[in-house]
Amino acid sequence: MAKTLFDKIWDAHTVSDIPGGPTQLYIDRHYCHEVTSPQAFAGLKSRGLKVFRPERTICSPDHNIPTLNQEAPIADPVSRNQVETLASNAAEFGLTIFGIGHEKNGIIHVMGPENGLTLPGATIVCGDSHTSTHGAVGAIAFGIGTSEVEMVLATQCILQPRPKTMRITVDGTLAPGVTAKDIALYLIAKMTTGGATGYFVEYAGEAIRALNMEQRMTLCNLSIEMGARGGLIAPDDTTFAYLKGREYAPEGEEWDKAVSYWRTLPSDDDAVFDREVTFNAADIEPRLTFGTNPGMGIGISETVPAAPADPAARASFEKALDYMGFKSGQSLVGTPVDYVFLGSCTNGRIEDFRAFADYVKGKKKAPGVTAWLVPGSWAVVRQIKAEGIDRILEKAGFELRQPGCSACLAMNDDKVPPGKLAVSTSNRNFEGRQGPGARTVLAGPLVAAAAAVTGVITDPRK
């Protein structure tokens, strides 16, 4: 019987099916950070349990760590306690941890793939919704809650209802200046924030195959923002070239065996999905959000749409515009910008810094803009320096911060002040997401770069 990529991986990891209930699914890789794990470890201790397969769990603090002066003790007592608790739990249970300042430390969803810990055909979980990032290599990856983190630590399995399958095909070729972030924001706007609820999405088509691995990670990262359980892309030669030689990837004969298996994973030609959706790459331009969820987005040449007719939807729409200070019919181009944030598990990789630096080279940062450029890991920092990107940024008036989740969410020192407008390459623009009262416009690295040097929202193609 023909199978989808998702079906092949799910079936290979099914321990048992509970009649009328969930699947008991084996988990290959568990990523663990400081936010959702303390209660899970406390649960193990209260029951006198050990971590069942400690070699399968990798820990790295990311949400609460500062992006300046990481060599000093964390000033905020709540953040310090979170990070120290993860370190002590990892030590007590014999887990690998890349702690603050470690050469492998970084945002979980950045450091996992770059170290070869994320592999095709795997099942991957983390107590973080953007775990869907790892699906870019052709893996089933999804976020889990605290009780489920405890379940995986104790048993290396999880109980999950089997999602439905959806294939989103993007045909054609992307126009110059259009990034993977623009594809994602376009899809979320078209599908809506609930349009993929209950589905695991496979991305396919010419435009998707043309993306490099880091761009694929950006796309899969945002799957959750249209309600999907996760997103994945079939492994191919681009995937294998990215993974080969990475520290935790197979080597020698084991690598050859692994690649032979991975080549069997793509969906069969006659596989049937529960839903199929197709879009044209030519319809996608640089994107912006205008509201308070990632689905409230427009092309940069478009204007803010009219409020919907449905009374409940209209009230929510008008509340969002009131918070953002925008009006229907308004073009966002030319809107003054206070902050620019380049980073997060969505756009904190070397490709994003290359794109940003290429745009700002020979230009100068606008004097009224505060720019936070935050690499996703120390490996990204090293690559930035090796390629001379830091010197380009410095000449243009920018400076790099240390790795971490930073201004993606208000859980560390990098908070956008109340009322200030940030053009952000992160993943969510909810009210207060980047700080109490902060206003967030989501965009890709090129739109962020253009805003940083002009001081206003600017079409990078112009």
Side-chain angles (χ1 to χ4, degrees):
M1 183 177 176
K3 288 186 176 185
T4 68
L5 166 63
F6 173 86
D7 293 332
K8 292 177 185 182
I9 301 171
W10 185 276
D11 292 347
H13 290 80
T14 296
V15 178
S16 64
D17 280 310
I18 298 172
T23 299
Q24 182 187 11
L25 196 70
Y26 183 79
I27 300 303
D28 291 310
R29 176 72 64 210
H30 177 210
Y31 292 116
C32 197
H33 57 54
E34 74 275 23
V35 178
T36 53
S37 65
Q39 300 92 330
F41 284 113
L44 293 186
K45 294 174 190 177
S46 71
R47 295 192 287 159
L49 297 176
K50 296 180 179 179
V51 175
F52 182 56
R53 290 191 170 159
E55 73 280 2
R56 298 279 177 174
T57 294
I58 300 291
C59 306
S60 183
D62 52 13
H63 283 58
N64 290 87
I65 64 178
T67 60
L68 292 175
N69 305 314
Q70 286 186 359
E71 60 281 358
I74 298 175
D76 178 69
V78 174
S79 292
R80 184 171 66 250
N81 180 60
Q82 292 265 56
V83 172
E84 289 176 351
T85 299
L86 177 64
S88 65
N89 281 324
E92 180 176 347
F93 287 94
L95 305 178
T96 298
I97 181 169
F98 304 138
I100 187 168
H102 191 286
E103 64 174 7
K104 290 189 179 69
N105 175 253
I107 303 172
I108 283 279
H109 309 314
V110 176
M111 55 72 58
E114 73 188 6
N115 283 291
L117 290 159
T118 296
L119 296 172
T123 49
I124 299 168
V125 295
C126 175
D128 184 289
S129 58
H130 294 104
T131 306
S132 56
T133 307
H134 304 270
V137 303
I140 289 179
F142 54 92
I144 57 176
T146 296
S147 61
E148 293 171 315
V149 171
E150 183 179 345
M151 189 187 301
V152 174
L153 289 170
T155 69
Q156 207 56 45
C157 291
I158 192 170
L159 295 174
Q160 282 288 295
R162 186 179 187 125
K164 294 181 287 186
T165 56
M166 179 190 298
R167 179 161 57 191
I168 295 180
T169 300
V170 184
D171 285 326
T173 305
L174 293 176
V178 179
T179 69
K181 181 65 163 288
D182 300 314
I183 300 175
L185 292 177
Y186 175 84
L187 294 178
I188 298 166
K190 292 296 183 183
M191 297 291 298
T192 77
T193 53
T197 301
Y199 292 90
F200 224 95
V201 175
E202 178 178 341
Y203 299 100
E206 181 186 358
I208 305 303
R209 291 191 297 273
L211 299 177
N212 63 37
M213 281 309 300
E214 302 197 331
Q215 293 164 339
R216 294 179 188 188
M217 289 177 208
T218 294
L219 177 58
C220 288
N221 173 274
L222 286 156
S223 303
I224 190 73
E225 305 307 336
M226 56 184 175
R229 195 70 183 92
L232 73 174
I233 296 171
D236 58 14
D237 287 338
T238 299
T239 318
F240 311 146
Y242 173 87
L243 290 171
K244 189 169 187 179
R246 295 189 183 268
E247 183 171 347
Y248 291 92
E251 297 178 323
E253 286 185 17
E254 290 302 310
W255 169 260
D256 295 336
K257 283 169 57 180
V259 171
S260 294
Y261 169 61
W262 295 340
R263 290 193 187 280
T264 71
L265 291 174
S267 295
D268 297 328
D269 291 341
D270 51 349
V272 177
F273 290 79
D274 294 302
R275 188 179 175 194
E276 294 257 17
V277 188
T278 301
F279 297 98
N280 190 337
D283 295 334
I284 306 174
E285 64 172 337
R287 303 283 298 183
L288 301 165
T289 58
F290 61 86
T292 54
N293 71 58
M296 300 179 77
I298 53 175
I300 199 165
S301 68
E302 298 173 339
T303 58
V304 177
D310 176 75
R314 185 183 190 89
S316 175
F317 183 92
E318 290 176 346
K319 180 176 181 287
L321 286 198
D322 183 61
Y323 181 85
M324 292 299 297
F326 299 145
K327 289 182 165 53
S328 292
Q330 174 184 350
S331 168
L332 298 191
V333 172
T335 303
V337 171
D338 303 299
Y339 282 74
V340 167
F341 172 50
L342 175 69
S344 84
C345 61
T346 311
N347 283 121
R349 299 177 180 80
I350 188 63
E351 280 289 333
D352 304 303
F353 281 84
R354 286 172 181 155
F356 190 97
D358 187 57
Y359 187 90
V360 304
K361 187 175 185 178
K363 304 180 179 74
K364 287 288 183 183
K365 182 180 78 68
V369 173
T370 298
W372 289 334
L373 310 188
V374 187
S377 70
W378 281 106
V380 175
V381 173
R382 290 190 291 274
Q383 205 162 352
I384 285 170
K385 292 182 176 179
E387 296 181 17
I389 290 172
D390 57 330
R391 296 190 293 276
I392 293 171
L393 295 173
E394 188 178 348
K395 280 185 182 178
F398 298 92
E399 70 177 66
L400 283 176
R401 296 170 84 90
Q402 293 171 314
C405 289
S406 185
C408 176
L409 76 175
M411 291 185 71
N412 52 71
D413 296 337
D414 299 350
K415 295 179 178 67
V416 176
K420 299 298 184 183
L421 184 75
V423 170
S424 177
T425 66
S426 53
N427 40 55
R428 286 179 174 160
N429 54 335
F430 304 155
E431 289 190 23
R433 170 76 175 184
Q434 291 193 284
R439 299 180 298 141
T440 301
V441 171
L442 296 179
L446 293 179
V447 173
V453 298
T454 62
V456 297
I457 293 175
T458 301
D459 187 336
R461 300 169 299 179
K462 299 178 180 180

